[in-house]
Amino acid sequence: MEDSIHDQFTHIPERISGLVDLAYNLWWSWNPEARALFKQVNRQAWKESIHNPVRMLREIPVGFLKQAAENPAYLRRYDIVMRRFRKYMSATGTWFSAEHPDSRSLTIAYFSAEYGLHHSLPIYAGGLGFLAGDHLKEASDLGLPMVAIGFMYSQGYLHQEISPDGWQKDINEPLDPDAAPITRVLDSAGDHLVVRVPHIDPPIYVAVWKVQVGRIPLYLLDTDIDCNDPRNRGISSRLYTGDLEQRLRQEIVLGIGGRKVLHVLGADYSAVHLNEGHPAFALLERIRERVERGMEFDEALDEVRATSVFTSHTPVPAGHDIFPINLIDRYFKAYYPALGIDRREFLQLGVHPQSPGAGFNMTAFALRASEHHNGVSRAHGTVTRQMWRCLWPGTPETTVPIDYVTNGVHVPTWLNHRMKDLYDRHIGPTCPNWLSEHDDPVVWELIDEIPDAELWYIHTWLKAKLFNRIREQERIRWTAQHPGGVPDPATGGAYLNPDVLTIGFARRFSTYKRAHLIFEDLERLKRILNNRWYPVQIIFAGKAHPADNEGKRLLQKIYRYTQQPEFGGRVAFVEDYSEKVAQYLVHGVDVWLNNPLPPMEASGTSGMKASLNGVLNLSILDGWWVEGYNGRNGWAFGSETAACDGRDATDAAAIYNLLEKEVVPLYYDRSVDNIPHGWVKMMKESIKSNGPRFSARRMVKEYVARYYPPLLKAADAEYARAVATAKPRAPEWEPQAHGEAEEGSE
């Protein structure tokens, strides 16, 4: 049971009350016509809500709503969008149902520590979260039966404020659930549903919230409730805490608690997909349930393994959680006997063969407890096999059972609506349903029919929109005047020129991503940026993890470059990088720069988003760009072998050479119509070569094609065994905290 959200919006006229249903389903976030419905009620209210329709509907004066309900032109648009929305939600003729019409439904439970869905729900930190969010959106569009589990971070992820000396200040802004597209899940008594995490002592309880992502329900776990002791209340407060014990407690709640919540909700599923190792304890709980029903541990492990997919996202050692044995003992001492194994056998599940004394390795456990494993690009698949071949001793590296499914991005979310309108005009007449077939490369060949002038006009419009946004933010920043001094307007981008070739670099500030690389030779860079006739400018954005002081020092170094007058205002740092800022950047810059230290880039998706909108990539040959680069759709470097101690200098020189000899000349090579036709030709090649190949639609279909048949076969076998051996048993019961669901209740 869920909140009756309409009871909270009685001020909305009945004629347009469907706006409430729309606001609480993130379908609006990837459908511009739906967003326009809110914007057209009142533009100022939409702007002040920061494009959050729930907040807008709560705060807007009722007079504006009444005007909309009496406006025939508005009502026509409202009726069309609501009809589309309801048809979408009730549709049975989806891609998945057409491809698998005779199969028993395979519902997948998707577990992830973060989800990047929209900035109104700050439960994400970066690329991993946006990948998870895009996965849910595409699963919804394709009709894939799925249910998802994540965390309700009460403090969201950090807001970033840069002090006058360039140091990142981490600002927490509590998430107001009543002003976000999220609802409480209620129990049979009408109270907020609370579930106890099983077999963990002292007890931990979670309240359950729900986000509707199109057709996909995402359930979020919240420990900030009265029945938890104060320390337990903070488990779900912050994403990726640096406290190792608190991190372990988070992963226990996410995996074991998440599985328990699905059981209480009666959410029947056949397979589990783990997005990284953080939620891997979900597999442990699946095993425990089978042991409780009478299975031997090894048999239960085999059954769970056969119906589990594990996706690894990083070759960075810090991205693989390892917990000290004393912490594992502290929290799992009551769990060992529930599995029917002893302590030694349990700990062996998380041993890394090459460092057996290091602790309980979550990635090692996830690989052992799942049968299907993948990296997130072809290059990353190779790296992951090299990293983990020790789990399969004697197996040749090429046959280590770790495959790859290259990441993709949700096209309707990341394609700017003006660019989409352009594609509609030129692809639509030949292929009216092109957006529903956007993973077909043939469809994108029609991009070549777009006149250069039209594509360039939209690009320059998006670029102007980016610069207007930067200047508006800088105006607000200037007015506020940071404590400690008045900021230099050049730092935040007030002096940037929309007519100048603009490079974007925006991502998490980790040292391996090498944000500093382009500053390797300062004099050469100054000559490139300050060229009188062919100038260049660079926009940086990104956050360092709160506990990553090295990343913060790197950010500070970049920030101080923006203040140097010899750069002439050609370098800027955009504060408080978020999903909203990312949208502006991947739509509006000319070149997307990416230069991590190989092979540390597992995939990377920001460059995919940029290419979808005609932004050209200048990237090192790592991650997705190894597959995406074809010699005509952008620029690549870094294929040559370089000694580690000289790698930065070599790669920086390659960037400078490309800028001086290819990128800058091509951009400024204009015909009499002031259009860089050679540049536009490369934009078209980038769009049509990368759009279909690096879409979430291709990605999700690939997961289904690659893993669906064996998962379905294993799930059917498991179901048959369960039916054959089913025995009646007494219902479980345990004392409840207020509002806690009984064991097994729905």
Side-chain angles (χ1 to χ4, degrees), residues 60-61 214 224 353 438 542 640:
I60 190 171
D224 189 12
H438 67 253
E640 65 282 351

Side-chain angles (χ1 to χ4, degrees), residues 416 418-419 455-473 493-494 496-500 502 537 539 583-590 615 667:
N416 180 269
R418 289 289 294 267
M419 197 66 78
L455 182 56
W456 186 246
Y457 170 78
I458 295 297
H459 175 68
T460 55
W461 183 87
L462 291 173
K463 193 173 178 181
K465 188 177 179 183
L466 165 65
F467 282 71
N468 287 340
R469 197 269 179 191
I470 289 173
R471 287 171 181 148
E472 172 66 8
Q473 290 303 110
L496 295 175
N497 183 343
D499 293 327
V500 169
T502 303
Q537 56 198 9
I539 300 174
Q583 292 270 5
Y584 281 102
L585 288 169
V586 299
H587 296 162
V589 299
D590 298 303
V615 174
Y667 182 83

Side-chain angles (χ1 to χ4, degrees), residues 109-145:
Y110 189 91
F111 285 73
S112 180
E114 56 173 301
Y115 292 88
L117 295 160
H118 187 261
H119 58 265
S120 60
L121 274 175
I123 55 173
Y124 59 86
L128 177 73
F130 285 117
L131 184 280
D134 282 8
H135 195 117
L136 297 195
K137 291 174 182 178
E138 194 58 62
S140 173
D141 287 345
L142 292 173
L144 182 66

Side-chain angles (χ1 to χ4, degrees), residues 31-74:
N31 283 273
E33 298 86 357
R35 294 195 299 275
L37 278 187
F38 298 104
K39 184 177 182 179
Q40 288 164 1
V41 171
N42 184 274
R43 290 175 179 270
Q44 185 61 26
W46 179 244
K47 182 178 180 180
E48 288 185 4
S49 74
I50 318 177
H51 301 179
N52 175 354
V54 174
R55 182 181 295 277
M56 174 185 158
L57 292 180
R58 287 188 179 279
E59 297 177 355
I60 190 171
V62 68
F64 294 118
L65 295 166
K66 289 181 177 178
Q67 288 175 12
E70 296 169 359
N71 185 326
Y74 179 83

